[in-house]
Amino acid sequence: MASRVQQGGRPGGSRFSQFKLVLLGESAVGKSSLVLRFVKDQFDDYRESTIGAAFLTQTIALDETTTVKFEIWDTAGQERYKSLAPMYYRNANCAVVVYDISQASSLDKAKAWVKELQRQANENIIIALAGNKLDLVTENPDKRAIPTADAEQYAKEAGLLFFETSAKTSENVKELFTAIAKKLPLDQGGPRNIRSGPRQGVDLRPEASSTVGASGCNC
Amino acid sequence: MAAQNPSTPPSSELPTVPFTQEGTELAKDTPAAPSRETTPPPLPPRPKIYGLLGDRPPTSGGLRVPSSAKRPGLQSKATTALSLGELHAQTNRDGSPASCQTRARGRSRSGSEVDDSASIRSFAPTMQADGDIESLLGEVLGDSEIQTWKIMGPQFPGGQSQGASIFGNGPEFEEAFEHEFDELTELETDGSNEELVVKQWKAKLKHFLVLSSAGKPIYSRHGDDRLISNYIGIIQTIISFYQGANDSLKGFTAGNVRFAILSKGPLNLVAISKLDESDQQLRVQLESLYMQILSTLTLPSLERMFKARASTDLRRPLQGTEILLSALADGFTRGSPSTLLSALECLKLRKSHRQVINNTLLKTRSPNLLYGLIVASGKLVSVVRPKKHSLHPGDLHLIFNMLFEAGSVKAGGGENWIPLCLPGFNNTGYLYMYVSFLNVNNTSEQVRERPSTSSGEDEVAILLISANKDGFFELKKMRDELVEQLDKNGSLAFMTAAIKRGRPSCTDIIPGTTLRHFLYKSRGNVQFTMPSFDPYFSTPIARRRLLTLYTHLHTHLHTRPTHLKIHHTTSGNCLTLAWTTPLFDLYAVAPGTTSRAALAQAANRVVQWVRREEERVFIIGGAVF
């Protein structure tokens, strides 16, 4: 599962880039729902826990000439899957760390993920913090457990993109992914970014390969 | 030819059967095995020690619970590298020398097929039981037999004869079954509606409880902690009372409810049933729940947790798998032929078509692949496997349950990468499963793209299992090639057609027959086939009643000391037949107006049909590398 960033020109001057994105966060904060909204524009009220991890792709057009394809790893939030997480974020170009704005503990968990990503993942990884379930709070402001300002402050200090989202109403979902796409190094075309060398074996070192650094820097 | 998977131990044995017989018995609780953590063999050989059946449930009245004492005790033991000798020991319930006979007979057949099927057939001929047909009519059991059976299991109140209780269960049963899968009303915080909720809870026909030996609740199909904690306490007290006396409790009856208990190391699993199931059948179901728990945690990690802290709360590590346990539990409550028979069902496909699919699997096989499966709505289409590893039906049942019953994987709509332990294969470590659903109704172009979530019936799943946790993209590539090839060579179309055709009806198989339904299990192949549930058993309640009937027949056939070959039951509205030979088990149901001779004749016709269609309804060998 090495980096699979592909960028390059297409006839007509259009640009196409491909990035690996990973979703992390406590269980039941809505990671899969965010992905389902983003990829299929659907929402299930009753969604069962993700088992293992799901791999999906979605392509968005930033403007008339620029398309970005996300390869998305939607991971399961349960504790028992934690040891597998490095496999998914190892070569990720970007990450969405999700918490539930009606559950105070979920932000702590999100902070732990951010810390782990900043320590272990690709050093140029773009991290977005998403406070999900905004619809709950819109209906009933008492349900909010995490003030927007607090999370925003934290995101600013940690250098993260920040959105409060609702997978249910789709509020800010597209915006979240678009903002990430805009921060990614789209302009770095060229062959050196097309598919890093042969992937083989398991490399558990935090900095998995130099190709990732090459493709992920210089925003 | 094939690159050896790093996790497969060398073995000189060449079992040629794709599936290993599931141990439908539970061994007497073996003393806790020493922890395997220090030296985890990747694939331990099947232990040679066979667990014998332990204590009888008190109500068995001295009758011995099921046969097959010669089987390896637990599914949790590895089933890999099964030798032929062991296989036959397993498939012969009574340990009679019939296996030799089987083999000898088989050799005389001319197996001439291209792949593995030649060697398979020589060891697992489905047919050849002509000698038994004569006795088909000779061993009809009278009512006295039914009386004997009665004392072995719970009864519905009223104690009618079995036949009557099957299709004659009154409106209460229907009512209860209709609400069986409803959620309980939420218990109010002040407990004001407790009476109502408890009433709902008690009305359930079936409960499954899992608790730790320290008495902590781990899983309950119905009711939350607050509701069930009292009952958990009571059941724990009863279980530990017997454990204290070194005489572990296997089951008991209270009123019309049967309790079956399975103790597995630090876990106690309890099934509570009003569905007239035998202890053996209930324990197979509990065993399956236990395997699901192992599949999530692996045995060493389960043992480690409880060793570190006896009061471990297992719900946390199992978080998110309740849906899998409940899907299994509900499958048992609805009635599962696959679990009853401990066998798999395959998609009926022409032999040449399956051959093409097998060859495509072999051709596209990637180096780190351990098992590759193509599954259509719970029925196996094809399997590719290393020569020395067969697949365990219990493991496949867990996988099918996850993919086709629990639904969360499919609902995600993407490709999936799922770490799981297949306890029948190796209960000490994880494998990684790549899952992709195809919507075969779409055009080929779309098939290659992301599948859409849609009605489950026409969906095909590609499952690729590897021991390499970083193998996702490798297997994804294999999947893409596989689907492209299958599309190109027409196999996808064959599969779609077969799925659309569904199971044949009884009258398709035997024109004009009065036979309503049957189950045919090939014991050598560990697979079964059956006709469509339509038109007589289309509703869930009708299906449940049919399965109850089969459950009774299965109990008759496989409960000692009766040890029957043929069993007939007649009641006002149905006539049934159960027939076992070393090669197959057959259960058949016809309306009560049918003559016994006609049913016997129909049974023979079914057997002939299976003989003719053997390589269509069963996977013989599969693709082996």
Side-chain angles (χ1 to χ4, degrees):
Chain A
M1 283 184 215
S3 172
R4 285 159 52 86
V5 175
Q6 289 177 17
Q7 298 170 334
R10 272 188 174 178
S14 63
R15 292 180 303 170
F16 175 80
S17 321
Q18 185 165 316
F19 297 99
K20 203 172 139 179
L21 183 148
V22 62
L23 277 101
L24 297 165
E26 201 175 48
S27 67
V29 295
K31 294 180 294 300
S32 300
S33 294
L34 278 175
V35 173
L36 191 67
R37 175 59 80 188
F38 175 56
V39 173
K40 297 195 171 164
D41 201 18
Q42 291 170 358
F43 181 79
D44 292 338
D45 263 312
Y46 298 96
R47 217 185 143 77
E48 293 165 345
S49 303
T50 303
I51 299 169
F55 180 80
L56 301 96
T57 58
Q58 173 68 314
T59 306
I60 56 172
L62 281 186
D63 55 50
E64 278 172 15
T65 56
T66 315
T67 40
V68 172
K69 181 173 178 186
F70 284 112
E71 290 190 334
I72 303 166
W73 276 112
D74 173 23
T75 64
Q78 280 87 21
E79 201 61 32
R80 66 173 175 279
Y81 292 117
K82 190 157 188 322
S83 60
L84 293 170
M87 191 161 95
Y88 303 115
Y89 67 62
R90 195 161 56 228
N91 296 312
N93 309 93
C94 40
V96 178
V97 178
V98 188
Y99 68 97
D100 173 353
I101 59 174
S102 66
Q103 296 290 334
S105 63
S106 68
L107 182 60
D108 297 335
K109 185 78 204 173
K111 287 178 179 173
W113 277 120
V114 170
K115 220 172 173 179
E116 179 166 343
L117 285 171
Q118 289 176 337
R119 214 176 40 234
Q120 310 273 7
N122 166 14
E123 63 177 312
N124 297 304
I125 190 168
I126 289 161
I127 305 173
L129 182 69
N132 194 31
K133 307 199 185 175
L134 190 55
D135 52 287
L136 288 182
V137 181
T138 317
E139 278 167 29
N140 181 358
D142 292 347
K143 283 199 172 170
R144 180 183 282 277
I146 298 166
T148 311
D150 291 9
E152 201 163 14
Q153 176 65 26
Y154 160 71
K156 204 172 163 190
E157 285 164 12
L160 318 174
L161 290 164
F162 173 70
F163 286 91
E164 281 191 345
T165 58
S166 166
K168 188 170 182 173
T169 65
S170 83
E171 188 173 351
N172 272 343
V173 175
K174 189 117 200 275
E175 289 80 354
L176 165 73
F177 288 94
T178 310
I180 294 168
K182 284 184 173 158
K183 257 196 122 178
L184 286 163
L186 304 177
D187 295 324
Q188 285 200 354
R192 69 192 167 114
N193 289 313
I194 295 174
R195 185 75 60 111
S196 51
R199 74 172 81 87
Q200 47 181 237
V202 187
D203 189 349
L204 288 171
R205 283 170 301 164
E207 274 306 309
S209 71
S210 57
T211 50
V212 175
S215 65
C217 64
N218 303 335
C219 314
Chain B
M1 53 176 169
Q4 289 295 333
N5 186 298
S7 76
T8 57
S11 163
S12 57
E13 294 158 315
L14 304 174
T16 46
V17 181
F19 312 107
T20 48
Q21 172 81 36
E22 181 163 10
T24 52
E25 300 309 313
L26 304 169
K28 183 172 182 170
D29 288 347
T30 42
S35 170
R36 258 143 293 187
E37 285 171 70
T38 44
T39 52
L43 298 170
R46 181 186 279 279
K48 301 268 184 198
I49 310 143
Y50 293 132
L52 293 175
L53 267 183
D55 310 318
R56 314 295 166 209
T59 50
S60 293
L63 291 167
R64 295 171 68 191
V65 200
S67 50
S68 66
K70 284 234 162 171
R71 288 188 186 177
L74 309 179
Q75 287 135 319
S76 54
K77 300 285 189 289
T79 60
T80 54
L82 191 68
S83 76
L84 285 164
E86 285 169 309
L87 179 75
H88 284 284
Q90 283 177 53
T91 50
N92 280 287
R93 293 181 166 267
D94 50 4
S96 72
S99 54
C100 314
Q101 198 186 350
T102 308
R103 233 179 283 183
R105 277 175 180 173
R107 286 216 180 101
S108 68
R109 295 187 54 148
S110 57
S112 62
E113 299 315 326
V114 207
D115 65 352
D116 206 42
S117 77
S119 58
I120 280 294
R121 284 177 62 153
S122 58
F123 294 104
T126 311
M127 306 309 316
Q128 309 288 335
D130 303 16
D132 284 310
I133 291 169
E134 242 179 310
S135 59
L136 185 59
L137 294 168
E139 278 191 58
V140 178
L141 291 154
D143 280 346
S144 61
E145 171 54 33
I146 289 166
Q147 290 304 324
T148 313
W149 187 78
K150 269 189 181 180
I151 57 170
M152 296 189 298
Q155 296 289 306
F156 280 94
Q160 317 111 311
S161 79
Q162 284 309 304
S165 75
I166 291 148
F167 288 109
N169 278 324
E172 304 89 2
F173 176 78
E174 229 161 276
E175 165 87 11
F177 189 78
E178 197 177 319
H179 298 293
E180 178 67 17
F181 306 108
D182 294 356
E183 288 292 316
L184 298 177
T185 311
E186 190 85 21
L187 192 62
E188 300 287 346
T189 33
D190 59 0
S192 56
N193 64 345
E194 188 172 349
E195 203 174 329
L196 170 81
V197 180
V198 169
K199 195 166 162 240
Q200 287 177 355
W201 188 76
K202 286 187 173 167
K204 298 294 180 194
L205 296 166
K206 199 132 173 209
H207 288 274
F208 288 96
L209 302 173
V210 182
L211 50 150
S212 73
S213 47
K216 285 222 174 182
I218 294 168
Y219 169 77
S220 163
R221 173 59 188 92
H222 303 289
D224 63 14
D225 274 9
R226 275 188 302 155
L227 187 69
I228 62 166
S229 57
N230 288 343
Y231 302 100
I232 293 270
I234 294 167
I235 196 86
Q236 172 63 17
T237 308
I238 296 171
I239 293 171
S240 49
F241 174 81
Y242 282 90
Q243 277 171 347
N246 273 332
D247 180 19
S248 64
L249 182 62
K250 303 288 180 188
F252 58 91
T253 302
N256 61 347
V257 181
R258 182 69 194 171
F259 289 70
I261 292 140
L262 174 66
S263 296
K264 286 282 190 187
L267 304 184
N268 288 316
L269 300 96
V270 184
I272 303 168
S273 173
K274 298 180 194 170
L275 292 173
D276 254 358
E277 293 157 289
S278 74
D279 280 17
Q280 179 204 351
Q281 288 152 357
L282 290 172
R283 290 151 72 83
V284 168
Q285 298 169 12
L286 292 176
E287 185 82 18
S288 183
L289 294 182
Y290 177 66
M291 281 178 76
Q292 174 56 56
I293 292 173
L294 288 185
S295 171
T296 309
L297 299 174
T298 74
L299 184 61
S301 107
L302 179 75
E303 284 171 343
R304 184 172 48 228
M305 277 186 263
F306 281 99
K307 208 173 169 187
R309 224 162 57 103
S311 63
T312 295
D313 183 356
L314 207 59
R315 275 174 308 185
R316 201 173 157 73
L318 287 177
Q319 195 190 19
T321 63
E322 300 86 356
I323 46 163
L324 301 178
L325 292 166
S326 293
L328 279 174
D330 289 353
F332 302 146
T333 307
R334 273 193 298 272
S336 154
S338 170
T339 308
L340 180 69
L341 302 174
S342 295
L344 290 165
E345 189 182 8
C346 300
L347 184 71
K348 187 168 178 283
L349 213 56
R350 290 188 81 95
K351 186 186 167 195
S352 57
H353 294 169
R354 194 164 346 250
Q355 193 69 53
V356 172
I357 297 172
N358 287 351
N359 290 340
T360 314
L361 271 168
L362 284 174
K363 207 166 78 187
T364 53
R365 184 177 68 84
S366 78
N368 280 311
L369 184 78
L370 180 60
Y371 294 121
L373 303 161
I374 301 177
V375 189
S377 51
K379 297 195 222 30
L380 203 54
V381 178
S382 179
V383 54
V384 58
R385 66 187 174 91
K387 204 166 218 163
K388 51 185 175 291
H389 296 298
S390 45
L391 274 159
H392 193 289
D395 288 342
L396 286 184
H397 188 228
L398 295 184
I399 294 174
F400 291 3
N401 178 64
M402 178 192 283
L403 300 183
F404 296 99
E405 302 297 330
S408 68
V409 174
K410 199 161 61 186
E415 290 150 283
N416 293 270
W417 188 237
I418 299 171
L420 85 172
C421 165
L422 295 178
F425 172 75
N426 173 2
N427 63 20
T428 66
Y430 287 104
L431 295 172
Y432 298 86
M433 177 167 74
Y434 169 88
V435 182
S436 160
F437 283 92
L438 313 180
N439 189 332
V440 290
N441 276 347
N442 286 353
T443 66
S444 55
E445 191 51 42
Q446 282 163 304
V447 166
R448 270 191 290 277
E449 249 318 305
R450 205 120 339 273
S452 66
T453 45
S454 69
S455 59
E457 281 302 300
D458 55 1
E459 282 197 326
V460 171
I462 310 257
L463 318 180
L464 305 173
I465 299 173
S466 169
N468 176 9
K469 76 171 178 177
D470 288 300
F472 177 84
F473 287 104
E474 176 192 326
L475 297 181
K476 179 178 162 59
K477 189 163 155 272
M478 171 178 168
R479 176 263 185 209
D480 291 345
E481 280 171 25
L482 178 67
V483 173
E484 195 186 321
Q485 296 284 325
L486 290 177
D487 188 26
K488 217 184 276 173
N489 64 30
S491 296
L492 279 183
F494 294 139
M495 276 188 246
T496 315
I499 295 165
K500 280 232 174 69
R501 230 171 10 244
R503 303 180 181 109
S505 72
C506 282
T507 44
D508 292 341
I509 295 167
I510 311 166
T513 185
T514 56
L515 195 67
R516 291 276 164 88
H517 201 265
F518 68 82
L519 298 178
Y520 178 105
K521 174 185 175 180
S522 161
R523 299 177 67 166
N525 291 316
V526 206
Q527 293 165 45
F528 76 97
T529 185
M530 64 180 178
S532 163
F533 284 114
D534 297 327
Y536 301 105
F537 308 100
S538 318
T539 63
I541 180 93
R543 218 170 282 187
R544 175 63 246 177
R545 285 185 169 147
L546 178 66
L547 260 297
T548 301
L549 191 52
Y550 285 139
T551 303
H552 291 156
L553 293 174
H554 181 270
T555 310
H556 280 275
L557 219 50
H558 297 300
T559 304
R560 290 188 169 190
T562 51
H563 185 57
L564 306 168
K565 276 185 182 159
I566 308 278
H567 174 78
H568 263 292
T569 318
T570 319
S571 79
N573 42 26
C574 75
L575 183 66
T576 61
L577 166 79
W579 176 16
T580 183
T581 77
L583 306 165
F584 63 83
D585 286 357
L586 176 66
Y587 306 87
V589 179
T593 50
T594 314
S595 74
R596 218 181 254 167
L599 179 60
Q601 197 197 6
N604 280 322
R605 297 282 297 274
V606 169
V607 170
Q608 284 161 15
W609 176 77
V610 175
R611 177 185 303 172
R612 211 165 51 235
E613 304 275 322
E614 188 173 8
E615 301 209 38
R616 295 183 179 179
V617 295
F618 300 130
I619 294 177
I620 317 260
V624 176
F625 59 88

